[in-house]
Structures are given as C-alpha cells and as structure tokens.
Amino acid sequence: MRITLTLTALAFTISSHAQNAFNYNIEKSITVQHGAVVSAHPLASQAGLQVLQQGGNAVDAAIATQLALAVVYPAAGNLGGGGFLVAHLKNGKNLAIDYREMAPSRASRDMYLDASGNPDIKRSQDGHLAAGVPGTIAGIYASLPYARLPVSKLIAPAIALAEKGFAITEREARSLNSQRELFIQLNTRPTAFVKDIPWKAGDTLIQKDLANTLKRVRDKGRAGFYEGETARLVEAEMKRGHGLITTADMKAYKAKERTAVTFNYRGYQVITMPLPSSGGVALQQMMGMVEKYPLADMGFHSAATIQLMVEVERRAYADRAQYLGDPDFVKVPVKQLTAPSYLLARMKDYDPQKAGSSKTTNAGVLPESEETTHLSVMDADGNAVSVTTTLNGGYGSKVVVGGAGFFLNNEMDDFSIKPGVPNMYGLVGAEANAIAPGKRMLSSMTPSIVLKDKRPYIVAGTPGGSTIITSVFQTLVNLLDFNLSTRQAVDAPKFHHQWLPDEVDVEEGFEQAPLEVLKKMGYRFDKRSAIGRTEVIRVNEKGMLEAVGDRRGDDSAAGY
C-alpha cells in the first residue's frame, strides 16, 4: 500500500511491507541502488531521501534529516542539544565536525556540590541549570560547505512538519505521557507537549513556536539561532528558571572541524570521531585489543567471545574514566592510549578461565610524555555521512524554551561533577572531565564509517548513553568478523560493560547458555531493556546499499 502525506514544502511518499495506523510506515530494512538514509523516525528518513532525489548529496540529506528529527523526535530534540558528524567524501576527504554543547561562561567546577561538598545530581540532570550551550545549528552551518543545496530547501521539511503537524506513534504517545508531570513542573511557560488529556497514537503534534524558530534560521542563517530573537528567548528562559546561558554564550558558540580518528582493522579502515567524543579512542582501543584473537573461530555470542569482549570493554572504560576530556582544555595522551604496544600490555592479565575484576583492573599506566539519536546516509556519488546528536537524557533537561519551542539539553551531567561520582549513565570521571567555562563535556557518541578498498562500506552509529561505544563495537564485529547480515548485526542482542559498576548488562532475550558458563567463572549479569538503536547502511557484494533501522524503536530506512 502507498500513502502520501503532503506538507507545505514537499510531499512524503512512504511505502512499506506493513502499514501502521499513523499515516506513514516504518521501513525496517531496504536494499537500494542509489542512496539511502536511516534514522530514528520515518518522516525524518523521508526528508533526507527527498533531498537526495532533488540533487543533494549525503551531507545535504544528513542536514535535512537532522532538522526533521528536531521536530518529529522531540525526546532527542537536537536544536537545543549538539552532536558530531563524521563523513567520508567522494574526493577521499574525511570530515569530523564537533558541535558538542559547551559549559556556559558562568559555569564553575563545583556548581553541583552542596555546602558539604556532596553532589546534587538532580540539578545536573533536570531543569534549567543542567543545560549547556547548544551546538546543532552551528554544526549544520559548519557542514554546509560540503553540501550542494541551500538551507531554505534543507530546512523546508522540518518547518512543514512543525507548522502543520504530524501523527505520533503509540511509542511517542507513551513517552510524552510518561514525562507529563515533569514537563509541567520544570517549565515556566506552556508547551506543545502537554495536553489536558493523555496523548494517544494518531494524535497530531503541532509545534508553532518551533516552526517560527526554524524560519528564523532559514531567513537569517546561523545568526537566526545564536543571535536576535531566539538567543533572547533562551536567555529569558534561563532567567525565569535560574539557568546560566546568556545571549553572549549563544553568540560565542563555535562548531569545530577536527581531525577524524582513523585506524585499520583486519584490512578495513575505520573512520570515527575524535575527542571530546570518547567513542573514537575507546573504539580504536577495543578493536585493537581483540584484533589478535580469532573471533570468527571463537564463534558469535559464544562464552569465550563474550568474555573477551567484556574484558576489552572493561579496560577501555577504565581508561576513559581516568584520561579523557576536552582536548582544548586538557592534554590527553591519545597516541599512547591507542598504541599497539599499550593495547597488548592491557591484555596481559586477561585470563580466559575466570572473570576479571574492576577492583584490580584500573586505568593503564602510561609512559610520561539513554537520549540520543543517530542517522546514517550514503549517496550514489560515494559520499558517506554518520551523525549522532543528543539532548543527553530523554527530553534533555525537560525544559522547553518559552516562545522558541525546543527542549534544552542536560549535558552538564556529562561532566565529572565530582571525581568518582557517577553520572546518569553510571559513568565516572576524573579531573580531565571537570567543569570549566567554555569547555565541552566528554561524550560517548561514536558515529563511524568503515572503508573497504578505500570506498565507503559501512556507515553506523547509535544512541544509548554509555552503551553507545560498546554497541558500535559489537555491530562492527558482527559485520566484519562474524559476517552476519546487516539485519542480524543490528538486531542481535547486545551486552555492555563499562568498568564501573562491575557487572555486565545484557538485553532481554539474550541466549542463556553462554551466560551460565560465564556466571560460573564469576561474572555478574543484569538483564535490561533495549540497548541502543543502531542505524546501519552497508554496501553488499552486488554494490547495492542495504539500509537497516533498529528493531528497538520507530527507526526507519528510506532509499531509491
């Protein structure tokens, strides 16, 4: 069945094997020839696809998809948040654009400690004080030189979706209803996300204030967000809620183009994000530590394979906690942390017969010297883009900017608010990730691209807080070592270890036999719901693009 949902700026034509009840369909897996987009929402994926069909490249599609996600996926927002873009362009250039949020100029190292020096994590997670200066619009404008189409065309789908509205799914209705009381408690102005009666599947979400914010970006460019009316509205919201962001903070924000992390793994080249994403460093460490082991022979999800990967994750996260932070503020020994000799030494105490311990496995000794969203795009010209954006927790700080219509992030919680104190994801940090004005908080986002024979082969990434890095790691190993299909690699149950707490998270439905073997060795397991929502595009042996949206959400693929 084919359904057409017409908006003011373009028509979305969406087909699927199985129609849902919300005027559009969720396409979990497609194989196409020319271009593909995978994101957390079918309307956002269709916005990216339409841009490809109108002559845009993968960067254009990534921009249009991000902007549409800001409307149709409010739990991960992104106008009030930030993110990272990793790309491999057809001319061979690798891109890494950092638009991570920043601490406001009035932020201070101990701002979340009480008079006794104890952390108040409520203030770092909910409400106005939790918000850092948003970076997404700056990141989009930093990406534009590599795109083909004008912003007016790329932002049009988002404006139409905000102004005319779209039908929400059952999952979205449940999510909005679950946060209703916090929305009321923490906001200083009425928002589009609260109704007198509960939301239900098929209800139309209209966001007029957000549409006006997007129009200011369309008409005035970057300044339409970081200066003028939108910046004034942000500062006014901060004053009402006792937050820190000022118009001066907004105007001063800059996205940064950084040097992508690149490394080889079994003949493939992996391209991923550098600091302040911890993902690139940790992914290189983990893949470097497992590379000498015959994973394919050990078997997919065998007890031996799971144990090895858990121990590799333990060591990488211990190093993350000790050494990683914003490289503009602290000196991070990346070369030492990713050196083959160091990675070999990290595995010297690995014992395949018994469980490791985070009490004895600390950061290595060096020589001196769950709400985020991801999108993947490939086009017909050989451009590949991987983008992860976030508000941090679901709906970020839960604060909507009055009159501007977008949620603000709660990324200040990603700093180490006190050394050794875990954040909302249980991650601990040290001085390298302490709060400072203008500093970017450490992230786990790991947008990644794999090249085969110097051409894009895989585009991958996921949300999931602290589980992002291990989810990308396992997805790539599933594809490159175990030769799973793209669908199998995305949908396979995942496991996660992050050093502290010393336990292994496993998704419900994980096969029990290998876990029982590992329990006898001393491992502790904690069953939990979905880990991540991975979006993958892979080029198959016929040169076709296999695009897969994760089964764990409303994620959807689109292509032609």
Side-chain angles (χ1 to χ4, degrees):
M1 186 172 183
R2 186 171 295 272
I3 300 167
T4 302
L5 176 63
T6 303
L7 304 173
T8 57
L10 78 168
F12 291 98
T13 304
I14 306 166
S15 64
S16 180
H17 300 111
Q19 179 189 352
N20 65 26
F22 315 117
N23 295 333
Y24 51 84
N25 291 322
I26 295 169
E27 190 77 79
K28 287 297 182 186
S29 184
I30 61 171
T31 300
V32 295
Q33 182 175 0
H34 301 294
V37 183
V38 195
S39 80
H41 198 285
L43 290 173
S45 297
Q46 283 292 323
L49 172 61
Q50 293 275 337
V51 163
L52 289 177
Q53 293 174 323
Q54 292 169 2
N57 63 18
V59 178
D60 291 290
I63 292 171
T65 304
Q66 283 178 84
L67 290 165
L69 282 169
V71 180
V72 299
Y73 193 37
N78 71 32
L79 284 199
F84 300 127
L85 176 148
V86 170
H88 179 79
L89 305 181
K90 64 179 183 179
N91 61 6
K93 179 180 176 66
N94 294 327
L95 279 182
I97 299 177
D98 167 11
Y99 42 106
R100 181 66 161 154
E101 301 91 331
M102 292 172 59
S105 58
R106 292 188 290 157
S108 59
R109 183 184 182 280
D110 298 329
M111 62 186 283
Y112 299 114
L113 304 185
D114 63 20
S116 300
N118 298 313
D120 182 354
I121 59 174
K122 184 71 174 173
R123 293 194 301 151
S124 71
Q125 294 178 10
D126 291 332
H128 297 68
L129 198 63
V133 183
T136 293
I137 292 299
I140 284 171
Y141 275 88
S143 309
L144 268 179
Y146 306 99
R148 290 176 182 163
L149 303 179
V151 168
S152 59
K153 187 161 281 195
L154 304 180
I155 204 169
I159 292 172
L161 287 163
E163 195 161 48
K164 300 298 182 182
F166 64 98
I168 65 172
T169 66
E170 181 180 352
R171 187 188 303 270
E172 290 162 344
R174 286 198 311 268
S175 179
L176 289 169
N177 290 334
S178 72
Q179 300 296 320
R180 184 178 189 275
E181 294 308 314
L182 273 177
F183 291 162
I184 293 171
Q185 174 189 336
L186 295 172
N187 279 282
T188 65
R189 294 287 188 272
T191 81
F193 307 101
V194 174
K195 296 200 310 173
D196 292 336
I197 59 175
W199 291 95
K200 64 181 185 300
D203 282 351
T204 300
L205 176 59
I206 296 173
Q207 302 169 77
K208 295 286 190 181
D209 288 344
L210 179 57
N212 289 333
T213 296
L214 292 167
K215 288 176 182 178
R216 288 190 290 271
V217 173
R218 178 195 64 192
D219 297 340
K220 299 182 179 180
R222 185 187 183 282
F225 186 82
Y226 289 99
E227 301 176 44
E229 179 67 4
T230 303
R232 184 193 67 76
L233 290 169
V234 170
E235 183 174 80
E237 186 62 55
M238 290 289 104
K239 287 179 178 178
R240 289 193 298 271
H242 308 292
L244 298 182
I245 302 172
T246 66
T247 53
D249 290 328
M250 293 286 286
K251 188 174 182 178
Y253 184 89
K254 297 287 190 296
K256 293 194 172 187
E257 192 167 319
R258 299 190 185 271
T259 301
V261 170
T262 59
F263 61 92
N264 292 317
Y265 179 77
R266 303 198 195 282
Y268 299 93
Q269 186 179 45
V270 180
I271 306 163
T272 187
M273 192 70 201
L275 292 168
S277 166
S278 64
V281 174
L283 185 64
Q284 184 173 1
Q285 285 189 305
M286 292 189 295
M287 298 189 82
M289 282 186 268
V290 300
E291 190 169 16
K292 73 169 186 172
Y293 296 89
L295 286 178
D297 295 337
M298 293 166 67
F300 172 70
H301 278 187
S302 69
T305 294
I306 295 169
Q307 187 205 9
L308 172 64
M309 294 176 73
V310 162
E311 292 303 327
V312 160
E313 291 171 4
R314 183 197 308 275
R315 288 156 175 78
Y317 276 77
D319 284 352
R320 180 194 190 280
Q322 179 64 34
Y323 293 116
L324 303 190
D326 185 345
D328 295 338
F329 282 72
V330 294
K331 186 174 181 180
V332 182
V334 173
K335 286 186 178 179
Q336 293 98 316
L337 288 168
T338 56
S341 57
Y342 174 77
L343 300 179
L344 186 65
R346 286 297 269 146
M347 295 300 288
K348 279 186 177 179
D349 60 350
Y350 165 63
D351 185 344
Q353 303 303 317
K354 68 177 183 179
S357 170
S358 293
K359 291 181 180 178
T360 56
T361 300
N362 295 305
V365 178
L366 294 171
E368 290 186 25
S369 64
E370 216 119 282
E371 187 70 30
T372 303
T373 188
H374 180 83
L375 64 97
S376 298
V377 187
M378 279 194 195
D379 67 23
D381 295 329
N383 299 296
V385 180
S386 185
V387 177
T388 311
T389 60
T390 187
L391 289 177
N392 198 26
Y395 302 98
S397 64
K398 316 296 191 298
V399 173
V400 178
V401 177
F406 58 87
F407 283 100
L408 286 168
N409 65 84
N410 60 348
E411 289 294 357
M412 294 298 287
D413 189 64
D414 267 358
F415 281 117
S416 175
I417 64 175
K418 183 178 181 179
V421 173
N423 68 6
M424 70 171 63
Y425 298 111
L427 290 170
V428 297
E431 291 296 331
N433 193 37
I435 300 170
K439 188 176 181 180
R440 298 175 196 236
M441 57 292 291
L442 193 62
S443 172
S444 295
M445 294 184 287
T446 315
S448 300
I449 295 169
V450 177
L451 304 185
K452 180 180 181 181
D453 300 326
K454 299 183 179 181
R455 293 183 57 81
Y457 176 52
I458 297 167
V459 183
T462 184
S466 62
T467 69
I468 290 173
I469 310 168
T470 55
S471 293
V472 172
F473 170 48
Q474 289 169 47
T475 300
L476 294 184
V477 166
N478 288 348
L479 293 168
L480 301 177
D481 286 279
F482 299 118
N483 199 30
L484 299 189
S485 71
T486 312
R487 174 86 270 159
Q488 290 171 327
V490 169
D491 285 352
K494 294 185 176 67
F495 54 91
H496 171 74
H497 195 292
Q498 61 183 46
W499 183 52
L500 293 176
D502 194 353
E503 61 188 26
V504 184
D505 289 338
V506 292
E507 283 188 290
E508 293 176 356
F510 206 99
E511 186 180 349
Q512 286 301 301
L515 303 186
E516 293 301 321
V517 173
L518 294 169
K519 283 179 184 177
K520 292 177 181 177
M521 295 170 60
Y523 288 95
R524 293 188 299 116
F525 293 93
D526 183 25
K527 285 189 178 180
R528 54 160 289 175
S529 57
I531 295 178
R533 287 170 60 173
T534 312
E535 321 291 8
V536 173
I537 302 174
R538 176 166 69 164
V539 180
N540 68 18
E541 64 278 0
K542 297 179 180 179
M544 303 287 282
L545 306 181
E546 296 175 351
V548 172
D550 201 303
R551 63 177 171 82
R552 297 165 179 86
D554 292 332
D555 309 57
S556 186
Y560 74 113

